[in-house]
Amino acid sequence: MSVCIEIKNLTKCYGSVVAVSGLSLEVGRGEALCLLGANGAGKTTTLYAICGLVRLTAGKVLVFGKDLEKDFLNVAPRMGVLVERPSFFDYLTARENLSIAAELAQKEVPIEKALDRVGLLSVADKKVKTFSLGMRQRLGLAQAILTEPELLILDEPLSGLDPEGGREILQLLRSLVDSAQVTIVFSSHMLSEVEVLADRVAILNRGRLLAVERIDSVLSYDESDVEVFLDAPQAAAKRLESLGWAHCTEISPRKLRVRLQNETVHHLITFLVGQGFVLNGVVPRRRTLEEYLLRTMTL
Amino acid sequence: MISRIWIAFRIELKKVLKQRFIYISGAFVLLASLSTLGISAVHKDQSSDYDYVVRATSLTMNWLIPLMTIIFGALTLSAEYTSGALRFMLVRPLRRVEYLYAKILVTVFYAVTLTTLAVTAAWVVIVLKGDLAGVYYGGEVLFTNMEIVRDYALGCLTYLLPLSAAATYAVFLSTVVRNTGTAVGSAIGLWVVFDALKYPLRLEQFMFTSYTEFPWRVFVQHCQGIDSYWRPGIFYCVGSCLAAVLVFLSAASLIFRRQDIP
């Protein structure tokens, strides 16, 4: 996979406040990378640095192999940006706002198609000042995808959208990555959307990059933490405690949650069946992004 | 670069035409111009009615149009900082300085439009309802109508200089001050301070704020039958206004290019 964005030792200070410190990161073409972290972690500053809205204190950002500060005019036409709380010229209609973006891109773009993709075609000729927060967010996405860019920078792309609308947009964005090989770098606090959209996650904390991990390894099954569905959980728990390598962390009427130490699920099943328990199912627990995030941030 | 500035200028023009402010200020200039009819009546009586043009010009050109230009210019970028719409523009294939130049151009265009409106209003009234017969003293022609019109036309051309300086000054302030109210307030306030300090500091010849009245001086004095000359004032006017444009443009470009857009 070729590199789309190369961030080298990025540092950004606002006066004495260090927003991002020595961040180095690469994003491949056709990849969706999510920046995760608490408020003030430096996610938005990093996204703004990638799209040229903030000046770097130190370091370099290369987009499509070009230095953003020197070659902005060659990079910008290939990039679509959605900032947090997207703002428009409120006294203009949705169509007029998009036509500004189209005119500056200096190419024929299907404004109707972009509006249709985000479900705003019916209000294309309404002034943006009449739009709700969710409609503004949709319009923000429409202007970002308008020129069919190769790179999308999205700050909280689903913020303000209702669950159904959020799902539609998520599908749209994922399809852009899968079918059009669009690169997406985004930030989000909604971990469920991150799990669907992201290929990799980068965890930031107080301006520093803590970890970068593929989402499928983050969300992998933890075979040392299993849920056992059986007929007599209380009795089974007592027997397991005597073993030393299995600890029950949760007991409910029809289920046990067991943490294994130095032994496999196979051993656990063999033991329980051998003890005469009737097993209805054994499911290794899936790790969650939230756990990964919290664990990484407390390391 | 020029084509991108031209595109940005066209966009700015479309945006401006959708705003109520421009129509209100246009109406204001017309109203101000016509209101001087109450002070200086215009009649078809074979005597020239330049006095009406002088009064309408003084009222609109000397303070109303510069004031509106400053307000308009101070709002250009500060309003987009406040609303966040600046981010919408600055992620496009357009250099920041190109956008800045487009903003200055549209402010100058606005000022020129108001000037054209004021000029048209004044002269249409006098053509339709009054007389243009030159300036006489004791039956002798001091200045013909053509000479008076030429003075006025030269005044209009010269007026572009202080207007451009005022536009650049106001847009510069709107790059520095991000709040709309503060930007407008400080643009007007600093203008007043500059204007007040230029006399005690003996800088009046070098301050661009002195030259909003200058372009009309020859016209006004000729209308009153007094001899008046463009030189040497015109040199100071050109020099100080161009210097102001250069200084404010450079400062605005430098600041705007390096600014973070949060």
mmCIF file of all heavy atoms in Angstrom, chain A residues 12 14 48 52-55 72-73 84-85 87 89 91-92 96-97 101 103-104 106 143, chain B residues 4 7 10-11 14-15 18 80 83-84 87-90 92 95-96 257-258 260-261:
data_model
loop_
_atom_site.group_PDB
_atom_site.id
_atom_site.type_symbol
_atom_site.label_atom_id
_atom_site.label_comp_id
_atom_site.label_asym_id
_atom_site.label_seq_id
_atom_site.Cartn_x
_atom_site.Cartn_y
_atom_site.Cartn_z
ATOM 1 N N LYS A 12 2.833 21.181 17.305
ATOM 2 C CA LYS A 12 2.052 22.405 17.165
ATOM 3 C C LYS A 12 1.791 22.990 18.557
ATOM 4 O O LYS A 12 1.248 22.316 19.432
ATOM 5 C CB LYS A 12 0.712 22.107 16.459
ATOM 6 C CG LYS A 12 -0.206 23.307 16.384
ATOM 7 C CD LYS A 12 0.371 24.433 15.557
ATOM 8 C CE LYS A 12 -0.372 25.733 15.776
ATOM 9 N NZ LYS A 12 0.287 26.865 15.124
ATOM 10 N N TYR A 14 0.174 26.323 20.680
ATOM 11 C CA TYR A 14 -0.619 27.559 20.688
ATOM 12 C C TYR A 14 -0.099 28.367 21.871
ATOM 13 O O TYR A 14 -0.468 28.083 23.005
ATOM 14 C CB TYR A 14 -2.110 27.266 20.856
ATOM 15 C CG TYR A 14 -2.715 26.495 19.707
ATOM 16 C CD1 TYR A 14 -3.021 25.146 19.843
ATOM 17 C CD2 TYR A 14 -2.992 27.113 18.498
ATOM 18 C CE1 TYR A 14 -3.583 24.428 18.801
ATOM 19 C CE2 TYR A 14 -3.559 26.397 17.450
ATOM 20 C CZ TYR A 14 -3.852 25.063 17.613
ATOM 21 O OH TYR A 14 -4.409 24.357 16.581
ATOM 22 N N TYR A 48 -6.285 19.428 11.395
ATOM 23 C CA TYR A 48 -6.139 20.776 10.829
ATOM 24 C C TYR A 48 -4.753 20.955 10.217
ATOM 25 O O TYR A 48 -4.587 21.695 9.245
ATOM 26 C CB TYR A 48 -6.389 21.844 11.898
ATOM 27 C CG TYR A 48 -7.868 22.112 12.149
ATOM 28 C CD1 TYR A 48 -8.833 21.184 11.792
ATOM 29 C CD2 TYR A 48 -8.299 23.293 12.729
ATOM 30 C CE1 TYR A 48 -10.169 21.423 12.012
ATOM 31 C CE2 TYR A 48 -9.639 23.547 12.951
ATOM 32 C CZ TYR A 48 -10.576 22.608 12.594
ATOM 33 O OH TYR A 48 -11.903 22.851 12.801
ATOM 34 N N GLY A 52 -3.963 21.974 6.357
ATOM 35 C CA GLY A 52 -3.344 23.294 6.198
ATOM 36 C C GLY A 52 -4.036 24.431 6.916
ATOM 37 O O GLY A 52 -3.767 25.589 6.622
ATOM 38 N N LEU A 53 -4.924 24.125 7.848
ATOM 39 C CA LEU A 53 -5.606 25.214 8.552
ATOM 40 C C LEU A 53 -4.767 25.783 9.691
ATOM 41 O O LEU A 53 -5.001 26.906 10.134
ATOM 42 C CB LEU A 53 -6.962 24.745 9.088
ATOM 43 C CG LEU A 53 -8.076 24.606 8.053
ATOM 44 C CD1 LEU A 53 -9.324 24.000 8.658
ATOM 45 C CD2 LEU A 53 -8.417 25.953 7.431
ATOM 46 N N VAL A 54 -3.831 24.992 10.195
ATOM 47 C CA VAL A 54 -2.929 25.533 11.218
ATOM 48 C C VAL A 54 -1.490 25.423 10.722
ATOM 49 O O VAL A 54 -1.158 24.523 9.943
ATOM 50 C CB VAL A 54 -3.065 24.826 12.595
ATOM 51 C CG1 VAL A 54 -4.421 25.034 13.208
ATOM 52 C CG2 VAL A 54 -2.748 23.353 12.501
ATOM 53 N N ARG A 55 -0.678 26.352 11.141
ATOM 54 C CA ARG A 55 0.737 26.368 10.758
ATOM 55 C C ARG A 55 1.512 25.504 11.735
ATOM 56 O O ARG A 55 1.257 25.549 12.950
ATOM 57 C CB ARG A 55 1.282 27.800 10.802
ATOM 58 C CG ARG A 55 0.539 28.718 9.867
ATOM 59 C CD ARG A 55 0.866 28.380 8.425
ATOM 60 N NE ARG A 55 -0.293 28.645 7.570
ATOM 61 C CZ ARG A 55 -0.374 28.299 6.306
ATOM 62 N NH1 ARG A 55 0.593 27.636 5.736
ATOM 63 N NH2 ARG A 55 -1.442 28.581 5.596
ATOM 64 N N PHE A 72 0.507 23.420 -1.436
ATOM 65 C CA PHE A 72 -0.904 23.325 -1.042
ATOM 66 C C PHE A 72 -1.839 23.278 -2.256
ATOM 67 O O PHE A 72 -2.816 22.527 -2.267
ATOM 68 C CB PHE A 72 -1.257 24.512 -0.137
ATOM 69 C CG PHE A 72 -2.669 24.485 0.346
ATOM 70 C CD1 PHE A 72 -3.071 23.596 1.324
ATOM 71 C CD2 PHE A 72 -3.620 25.340 -0.192
ATOM 72 C CE1 PHE A 72 -4.383 23.560 1.771
ATOM 73 C CE2 PHE A 72 -4.941 25.305 0.239
ATOM 74 C CZ PHE A 72 -5.318 24.414 1.230
ATOM 75 N N LEU A 73 -1.503 24.074 -3.280
ATOM 76 C CA LEU A 73 -2.399 24.160 -4.443
ATOM 77 C C LEU A 73 -2.495 22.850 -5.220
ATOM 78 O O LEU A 73 -3.482 22.605 -5.907
ATOM 79 C CB LEU A 73 -1.962 25.292 -5.370
ATOM 80 C CG LEU A 73 -2.215 26.700 -4.848
ATOM 81 C CD1 LEU A 73 -1.716 27.718 -5.837
ATOM 82 C CD2 LEU A 73 -3.682 26.935 -4.541
ATOM 83 N N GLU A 84 -15.043 20.123 12.359
ATOM 84 C CA GLU A 84 -16.039 19.979 13.411
ATOM 85 C C GLU A 84 -16.989 21.167 13.356
ATOM 86 O O GLU A 84 -16.560 22.286 13.098
ATOM 87 C CB GLU A 84 -15.307 19.956 14.757
ATOM 88 C CG GLU A 84 -16.124 19.358 15.867
ATOM 89 C CD GLU A 84 -15.376 19.387 17.182
ATOM 90 O OE1 GLU A 84 -14.212 19.796 17.205
ATOM 91 O OE2 GLU A 84 -15.982 18.987 18.183
ATOM 92 N N ARG A 85 -18.249 20.967 13.598
ATOM 93 C CA ARG A 85 -19.284 22.003 13.473
ATOM 94 C C ARG A 85 -19.106 22.754 12.153
ATOM 95 O O ARG A 85 -18.666 23.898 12.123
ATOM 96 C CB ARG A 85 -19.205 22.992 14.654
ATOM 97 C CG ARG A 85 -19.709 22.411 15.967
ATOM 98 C CD ARG A 85 -19.520 23.361 17.117
ATOM 99 N NE ARG A 85 -18.156 23.347 17.598
ATOM 100 C CZ ARG A 85 -17.297 24.338 17.463
ATOM 101 N NH1 ARG A 85 -17.643 25.443 16.851
ATOM 102 N NH2 ARG A 85 -16.075 24.236 17.923
ATOM 103 N N SER A 87 -19.204 25.039 9.056
ATOM 104 C CA SER A 87 -19.826 26.354 8.881
ATOM 105 C C SER A 87 -19.920 26.687 7.405
ATOM 106 O O SER A 87 -19.046 26.324 6.622
ATOM 107 C CB SER A 87 -18.985 27.419 9.573
ATOM 108 O OG SER A 87 -18.872 27.114 10.922
ATOM 109 N N PHE A 89 -21.876 29.685 4.434
ATOM 110 C CA PHE A 89 -22.418 31.030 4.298
ATOM 111 C C PHE A 89 -23.930 30.872 4.462
ATOM 112 O O PHE A 89 -24.621 30.426 3.547
ATOM 113 C CB PHE A 89 -22.003 31.621 2.956
ATOM 114 C CG PHE A 89 -20.509 31.692 2.832
ATOM 115 C CD1 PHE A 89 -19.803 30.779 2.065
ATOM 116 C CD2 PHE A 89 -19.794 32.633 3.560
ATOM 117 C CE1 PHE A 89 -18.423 30.824 1.993
ATOM 118 C CE2 PHE A 89 -18.405 32.680 3.496
ATOM 119 C CZ PHE A 89 -17.726 31.772 2.715
ATOM 120 N N TYR A 91 -26.439 32.744 4.584
ATOM 121 C CA TYR A 91 -27.406 33.490 3.778
ATOM 122 C C TYR A 91 -27.510 32.928 2.360
ATOM 123 O O TYR A 91 -28.283 33.425 1.553
ATOM 124 C CB TYR A 91 -27.036 34.981 3.734
ATOM 125 C CG TYR A 91 -25.582 35.220 3.427
ATOM 126 C CD1 TYR A 91 -25.134 35.333 2.124
ATOM 127 C CD2 TYR A 91 -24.643 35.317 4.453
ATOM 128 C CE1 TYR A 91 -23.791 35.529 1.827
ATOM 129 C CE2 TYR A 91 -23.302 35.508 4.170
ATOM 130 C CZ TYR A 91 -22.881 35.615 2.870
ATOM 131 O OH TYR A 91 -21.554 35.806 2.578
ATOM 132 N N LEU A 92 -26.715 31.893 2.063
ATOM 133 C CA LEU A 92 -26.795 31.227 0.753
ATOM 134 C C LEU A 92 -27.502 29.879 0.906
ATOM 135 O O LEU A 92 -27.578 29.329 2.007
ATOM 136 C CB LEU A 92 -25.391 30.994 0.186
ATOM 137 C CG LEU A 92 -24.505 32.221 -0.032
ATOM 138 C CD1 LEU A 92 -23.152 31.790 -0.578
ATOM 139 C CD2 LEU A 92 -25.148 33.212 -0.980
ATOM 140 N N GLU A 96 -25.910 26.825 -3.482
ATOM 141 C CA GLU A 96 -24.988 27.949 -3.712
ATOM 142 C C GLU A 96 -23.670 27.742 -2.954
ATOM 143 O O GLU A 96 -22.594 28.064 -3.462
ATOM 144 C CB GLU A 96 -25.644 29.268 -3.282
ATOM 145 C CG GLU A 96 -26.700 29.733 -4.267
ATOM 146 C CD GLU A 96 -27.598 30.831 -3.731
ATOM 147 O OE1 GLU A 96 -27.663 31.029 -2.488
ATOM 148 O OE2 GLU A 96 -28.277 31.476 -4.539
ATOM 149 N N ASN A 97 -23.778 27.212 -1.735
ATOM 150 C CA ASN A 97 -22.557 26.931 -0.978
ATOM 151 C C ASN A 97 -21.688 25.900 -1.701
ATOM 152 O O ASN A 97 -20.474 26.068 -1.802
ATOM 153 C CB ASN A 97 -22.911 26.415 0.422
ATOM 154 C CG ASN A 97 -23.054 27.552 1.432
ATOM 155 O OD1 ASN A 97 -22.061 28.138 1.849
ATOM 156 N ND2 ASN A 97 -24.280 27.867 1.799
ATOM 157 N N ALA A 101 -17.702 25.887 -3.658
ATOM 158 C CA ALA A 101 -16.646 24.864 -3.574
ATOM 159 C C ALA A 101 -16.290 24.346 -4.966
ATOM 160 O O ALA A 101 -15.110 24.151 -5.277
ATOM 161 C CB ALA A 101 -17.110 23.728 -2.675
ATOM 162 N N GLU A 103 -16.682 25.926 -7.853
ATOM 163 C CA GLU A 103 -16.026 26.968 -8.644
ATOM 164 C C GLU A 103 -14.544 27.077 -8.270
ATOM 165 O O GLU A 103 -13.683 27.233 -9.132
ATOM 166 C CB GLU A 103 -16.726 28.307 -8.400
ATOM 167 C CG GLU A 103 -16.685 29.222 -9.592
ATOM 168 C CD GLU A 103 -17.589 30.430 -9.437
ATOM 169 O OE1 GLU A 103 -18.665 30.320 -8.798
ATOM 170 O OE2 GLU A 103 -17.217 31.483 -9.938
ATOM 171 N N LEU A 104 -14.266 26.980 -6.982
ATOM 172 C CA LEU A 104 -12.864 27.070 -6.541
ATOM 173 C C LEU A 104 -12.065 25.837 -6.960
ATOM 174 O O LEU A 104 -10.862 25.923 -7.170
ATOM 175 C CB LEU A 104 -12.795 27.262 -5.026
ATOM 176 C CG LEU A 104 -13.159 28.670 -4.548
ATOM 177 C CD1 LEU A 104 -13.343 28.701 -3.038
ATOM 178 C CD2 LEU A 104 -12.104 29.684 -4.958
ATOM 179 N N GLN A 106 -12.443 24.464 -9.694
ATOM 180 C CA GLN A 106 -12.284 24.669 -11.138
ATOM 181 C C GLN A 106 -12.547 23.393 -11.929
ATOM 182 O O GLN A 106 -11.778 23.052 -12.829
ATOM 183 C CB GLN A 106 -10.891 25.213 -11.461
ATOM 184 C CG GLN A 106 -10.670 26.613 -10.912
ATOM 185 C CD GLN A 106 -9.348 27.193 -11.363
ATOM 186 O OE1 GLN A 106 -9.080 27.278 -12.532
ATOM 187 N NE2 GLN A 106 -8.532 27.599 -10.411
ATOM 188 N N GLN A 143 -20.068 18.720 0.828
ATOM 189 C CA GLN A 143 -18.998 19.559 0.276
ATOM 190 C C GLN A 143 -17.649 18.840 0.330
ATOM 191 O O GLN A 143 -16.784 19.083 -0.501
ATOM 192 C CB GLN A 143 -18.963 20.949 0.926
ATOM 193 C CG GLN A 143 -18.695 21.012 2.419
ATOM 194 C CD GLN A 143 -17.245 20.885 2.796
ATOM 195 O OE1 GLN A 143 -16.381 21.252 2.033
ATOM 196 N NE2 GLN A 143 -16.972 20.325 3.963
ATOM 197 N N ARG B 4 -7.107 32.642 -10.209
ATOM 198 C CA ARG B 4 -7.717 32.224 -8.937
ATOM 199 C C ARG B 4 -8.260 33.432 -8.168
ATOM 200 O O ARG B 4 -9.319 33.352 -7.551
ATOM 201 C CB ARG B 4 -6.704 31.441 -8.089
ATOM 202 C CG ARG B 4 -6.496 30.006 -8.549
ATOM 203 C CD ARG B 4 -5.705 29.227 -7.525
ATOM 204 N NE ARG B 4 -4.424 29.844 -7.273
ATOM 205 C CZ ARG B 4 -3.318 29.610 -7.974
ATOM 206 N NH1 ARG B 4 -3.343 28.741 -8.968
ATOM 207 N NH2 ARG B 4 -2.186 30.222 -7.688
ATOM 208 N N ILE B 7 -11.496 34.287 -9.805
ATOM 209 C CA ILE B 7 -12.573 33.361 -9.399
ATOM 210 C C ILE B 7 -13.054 33.713 -7.990
ATOM 211 O O ILE B 7 -14.257 33.814 -7.735
ATOM 212 C CB ILE B 7 -12.085 31.889 -9.454
ATOM 213 C CG1 ILE B 7 -11.858 31.462 -10.905
ATOM 214 C CG2 ILE B 7 -13.081 30.950 -8.779
ATOM 215 C CD1 ILE B 7 -11.144 30.129 -11.063
ATOM 216 N N ARG B 10 -15.101 36.840 -8.036
ATOM 217 C CA ARG B 10 -16.466 36.590 -8.552
ATOM 218 C C ARG B 10 -17.332 35.952 -7.470
ATOM 219 O O ARG B 10 -18.499 36.299 -7.297
ATOM 220 C CB ARG B 10 -16.377 35.660 -9.762
ATOM 221 C CG ARG B 10 -16.292 36.415 -11.055
ATOM 222 C CD ARG B 10 -16.367 35.539 -12.285
ATOM 223 N NE ARG B 10 -16.446 34.128 -12.055
ATOM 224 C CZ ARG B 10 -15.739 33.213 -12.716
ATOM 225 N NH1 ARG B 10 -14.880 33.611 -13.630
ATOM 226 N NH2 ARG B 10 -15.886 31.939 -12.488
ATOM 227 N N ILE B 11 -16.739 35.018 -6.738
ATOM 228 C CA ILE B 11 -17.481 34.358 -5.660
ATOM 229 C C ILE B 11 -17.853 35.373 -4.582
ATOM 230 O O ILE B 11 -18.994 35.409 -4.108
ATOM 231 C CB ILE B 11 -16.641 33.205 -5.061
ATOM 232 C CG1 ILE B 11 -16.541 32.061 -6.063
ATOM 233 C CG2 ILE B 11 -17.219 32.711 -3.745
ATOM 234 C CD1 ILE B 11 -15.557 30.972 -5.683
ATOM 235 N N LYS B 14 -20.713 37.459 -5.689
ATOM 236 C CA LYS B 14 -22.000 36.742 -5.596
ATOM 237 C C LYS B 14 -22.473 36.729 -4.146
ATOM 238 O O LYS B 14 -23.656 36.898 -3.868
ATOM 239 C CB LYS B 14 -21.827 35.305 -6.085
ATOM 240 C CG LYS B 14 -21.821 35.164 -7.588
ATOM 241 C CD LYS B 14 -21.720 33.692 -7.953
ATOM 242 C CE LYS B 14 -21.122 33.508 -9.329
ATOM 243 N NZ LYS B 14 -20.683 32.151 -9.584
ATOM 244 N N LYS B 15 -21.529 36.504 -3.232
ATOM 245 C CA LYS B 15 -21.883 36.470 -1.809
ATOM 246 C C LYS B 15 -22.395 37.829 -1.348
ATOM 247 O O LYS B 15 -23.407 37.923 -0.652
ATOM 248 C CB LYS B 15 -20.645 36.072 -0.981
ATOM 249 C CG LYS B 15 -20.420 34.574 -0.918
ATOM 250 C CD LYS B 15 -18.998 34.197 -0.585
ATOM 251 C CE LYS B 15 -18.487 34.768 0.695
ATOM 252 N NZ LYS B 15 -17.064 34.406 0.937
ATOM 253 N N LYS B 18 -25.887 38.814 -2.189
ATOM 254 C CA LYS B 18 -26.936 38.094 -1.448
ATOM 255 C C LYS B 18 -27.122 38.670 -0.050
ATOM 256 O O LYS B 18 -27.927 38.173 0.727
ATOM 257 C CB LYS B 18 -26.551 36.609 -1.317
ATOM 258 C CG LYS B 18 -26.537 35.863 -2.626
ATOM 259 C CD LYS B 18 -27.896 35.358 -2.965
ATOM 260 C CE LYS B 18 -27.872 34.630 -4.293
ATOM 261 N NZ LYS B 18 -29.175 34.085 -4.635
ATOM 262 N N GLU B 80 -16.210 36.028 8.833
ATOM 263 C CA GLU B 80 -15.977 34.619 8.487
ATOM 264 C C GLU B 80 -15.174 33.890 9.562
ATOM 265 O O GLU B 80 -15.316 32.687 9.727
ATOM 266 C CB GLU B 80 -15.297 34.528 7.110
ATOM 267 C CG GLU B 80 -16.255 34.943 6.018
ATOM 268 C CD GLU B 80 -15.683 34.858 4.624
ATOM 269 O OE1 GLU B 80 -14.625 34.244 4.437
ATOM 270 O OE2 GLU B 80 -16.313 35.430 3.717
ATOM 271 N N SER B 83 -18.054 33.240 12.166
ATOM 272 C CA SER B 83 -19.015 32.187 11.795
ATOM 273 C C SER B 83 -18.314 30.843 11.547
ATOM 274 O O SER B 83 -18.950 29.801 11.578
ATOM 275 C CB SER B 83 -19.774 32.602 10.531
ATOM 276 O OG SER B 83 -18.906 32.561 9.419
ATOM 277 N N GLY B 84 -17.030 30.884 11.280
ATOM 278 C CA GLY B 84 -16.292 29.643 10.976
ATOM 279 C C GLY B 84 -16.252 29.359 9.481
ATOM 280 O O GLY B 84 -15.614 28.402 9.039
ATOM 281 N N ARG B 87 -12.988 28.609 7.309
ATOM 282 C CA ARG B 87 -12.413 27.265 7.139
ATOM 283 C C ARG B 87 -12.935 26.625 5.858
ATOM 284 O O ARG B 87 -12.230 25.889 5.178
ATOM 285 C CB ARG B 87 -12.760 26.378 8.347
ATOM 286 C CG ARG B 87 -12.107 26.859 9.620
ATOM 287 C CD ARG B 87 -12.456 25.975 10.776
ATOM 288 N NE ARG B 87 -13.887 25.932 11.018
ATOM 289 C CZ ARG B 87 -14.443 25.498 12.132
ATOM 290 N NH1 ARG B 87 -13.685 25.030 13.106
ATOM 291 N NH2 ARG B 87 -15.736 25.492 12.296
ATOM 292 N N PHE B 88 -14.203 26.923 5.547
ATOM 293 C CA PHE B 88 -14.830 26.399 4.328
ATOM 294 C C PHE B 88 -14.042 26.855 3.100
ATOM 295 O O PHE B 88 -13.855 26.094 2.145
ATOM 296 C CB PHE B 88 -16.278 26.915 4.263
ATOM 297 C CG PHE B 88 -17.035 26.539 3.019
ATOM 298 C CD1 PHE B 88 -17.706 25.331 2.953
ATOM 299 C CD2 PHE B 88 -17.093 27.385 1.929
ATOM 300 C CE1 PHE B 88 -18.419 24.981 1.812
ATOM 301 C CE2 PHE B 88 -17.799 27.047 0.783
ATOM 302 C CZ PHE B 88 -18.464 25.836 0.730
ATOM 303 N N MET B 89 -13.561 28.102 3.140
ATOM 304 C CA MET B 89 -12.846 28.658 1.990
ATOM 305 C C MET B 89 -11.378 28.214 1.951
ATOM 306 O O MET B 89 -10.848 27.947 0.877
ATOM 307 C CB MET B 89 -12.892 30.192 2.027
ATOM 308 C CG MET B 89 -14.262 30.790 1.851
ATOM 309 S SD MET B 89 -15.060 30.372 0.295
ATOM 310 C CE MET B 89 -14.149 31.361 -0.874
ATOM 311 N N LEU B 90 -10.764 28.158 3.117
ATOM 312 C CA LEU B 90 -9.307 27.978 3.130
ATOM 313 C C LEU B 90 -8.836 26.538 2.963
ATOM 314 O O LEU B 90 -7.638 26.282 2.976
ATOM 315 C CB LEU B 90 -8.718 28.594 4.402
ATOM 316 C CG LEU B 90 -8.875 30.109 4.500
ATOM 317 C CD1 LEU B 90 -8.141 30.655 5.719
ATOM 318 C CD2 LEU B 90 -8.400 30.824 3.251
ATOM 319 N N ARG B 92 -9.813 25.016 0.270
ATOM 320 C CA ARG B 92 -9.966 24.899 -1.199
ATOM 321 C C ARG B 92 -8.635 25.215 -1.885
ATOM 322 O O ARG B 92 -7.756 25.825 -1.279
ATOM 323 C CB ARG B 92 -11.019 25.887 -1.717
ATOM 324 C CG ARG B 92 -12.293 25.930 -0.929
ATOM 325 C CD ARG B 92 -13.210 24.798 -1.251
ATOM 326 N NE ARG B 92 -14.136 24.587 -0.147
ATOM 327 C CZ ARG B 92 -14.712 23.448 0.133
ATOM 328 N NH1 ARG B 92 -14.470 22.386 -0.594
ATOM 329 N NH2 ARG B 92 -15.531 23.330 1.151
ATOM 330 N N ARG B 95 -4.815 30.096 -2.531
ATOM 331 C CA ARG B 95 -3.854 30.567 -1.528
ATOM 332 C C ARG B 95 -4.532 31.602 -0.643
ATOM 333 O O ARG B 95 -5.404 32.331 -1.084
ATOM 334 C CB ARG B 95 -2.640 31.196 -2.209
ATOM 335 C CG ARG B 95 -1.701 30.182 -2.781
ATOM 336 C CD ARG B 95 -0.331 30.809 -3.013
ATOM 337 N NE ARG B 95 0.519 29.882 -3.730
ATOM 338 C CZ ARG B 95 0.714 29.924 -5.044
ATOM 339 N NH1 ARG B 95 0.137 30.836 -5.760
ATOM 340 N NH2 ARG B 95 1.491 29.044 -5.626
ATOM 341 N N ARG B 96 -4.051 31.670 0.580
ATOM 342 C CA ARG B 96 -4.659 32.621 1.510
ATOM 343 C C ARG B 96 -4.529 34.056 1.006
ATOM 344 O O ARG B 96 -5.476 34.837 1.108
ATOM 345 C CB ARG B 96 -4.006 32.501 2.880
ATOM 346 C CG ARG B 96 -4.393 31.230 3.584
ATOM 347 C CD ARG B 96 -3.874 31.255 4.992
ATOM 348 N NE ARG B 96 -4.127 29.980 5.646
ATOM 349 C CZ ARG B 96 -3.998 29.784 6.927
ATOM 350 N NH1 ARG B 96 -3.629 30.757 7.714
ATOM 351 N NH2 ARG B 96 -4.248 28.602 7.465
ATOM 352 N N ARG B 257 -1.320 34.933 6.131
ATOM 353 C CA ARG B 257 -0.652 33.735 5.636
ATOM 354 C C ARG B 257 -0.173 32.843 6.771
ATOM 355 O O ARG B 257 -0.104 31.640 6.643
ATOM 356 C CB ARG B 257 0.547 34.165 4.776
ATOM 357 C CG ARG B 257 0.798 33.254 3.604
ATOM 358 C CD ARG B 257 1.782 33.830 2.659
ATOM 359 N NE ARG B 257 2.925 34.441 3.328
ATOM 360 C CZ ARG B 257 3.762 35.268 2.728
ATOM 361 N NH1 ARG B 257 3.558 35.608 1.486
ATOM 362 N NH2 ARG B 257 4.791 35.776 3.364
ATOM 363 N N ARG B 258 0.153 33.465 7.892
ATOM 364 C CA ARG B 258 0.741 32.709 8.997
ATOM 365 C C ARG B 258 -0.258 32.351 10.082
ATOM 366 O O ARG B 258 0.101 31.739 11.088
ATOM 367 C CB ARG B 258 1.892 33.514 9.610
ATOM 368 C CG ARG B 258 2.990 33.831 8.618
ATOM 369 C CD ARG B 258 4.114 34.570 9.277
ATOM 370 N NE ARG B 258 4.701 33.786 10.354
ATOM 371 C CZ ARG B 258 5.606 32.836 10.172
ATOM 372 N NH1 ARG B 258 6.019 32.553 8.959
ATOM 373 N NH2 ARG B 258 6.090 32.172 11.190
ATOM 374 N N ASP B 260 -3.316 30.749 12.293
ATOM 375 C CA ASP B 260 -4.039 29.494 12.496
ATOM 376 C C ASP B 260 -5.519 29.801 12.377
ATOM 377 O O ASP B 260 -5.991 30.816 12.877
ATOM 378 C CB ASP B 260 -3.755 28.943 13.900
ATOM 379 C CG ASP B 260 -2.319 28.475 14.035
ATOM 380 O OD1 ASP B 260 -1.764 28.010 13.033
ATOM 381 O OD2 ASP B 260 -1.768 28.587 15.139
ATOM 382 N N ILE B 261 -6.224 28.904 11.719
ATOM 383 C CA ILE B 261 -7.676 29.102 11.584
ATOM 384 C C ILE B 261 -8.352 28.052 12.479
ATOM 385 O O ILE B 261 -8.517 26.910 12.073
ATOM 386 C CB ILE B 261 -8.141 28.945 10.116
ATOM 387 C CG1 ILE B 261 -7.253 29.759 9.171
ATOM 388 C CG2 ILE B 261 -9.598 29.325 9.955
ATOM 389 C CD1 ILE B 261 -7.249 31.251 9.349
#
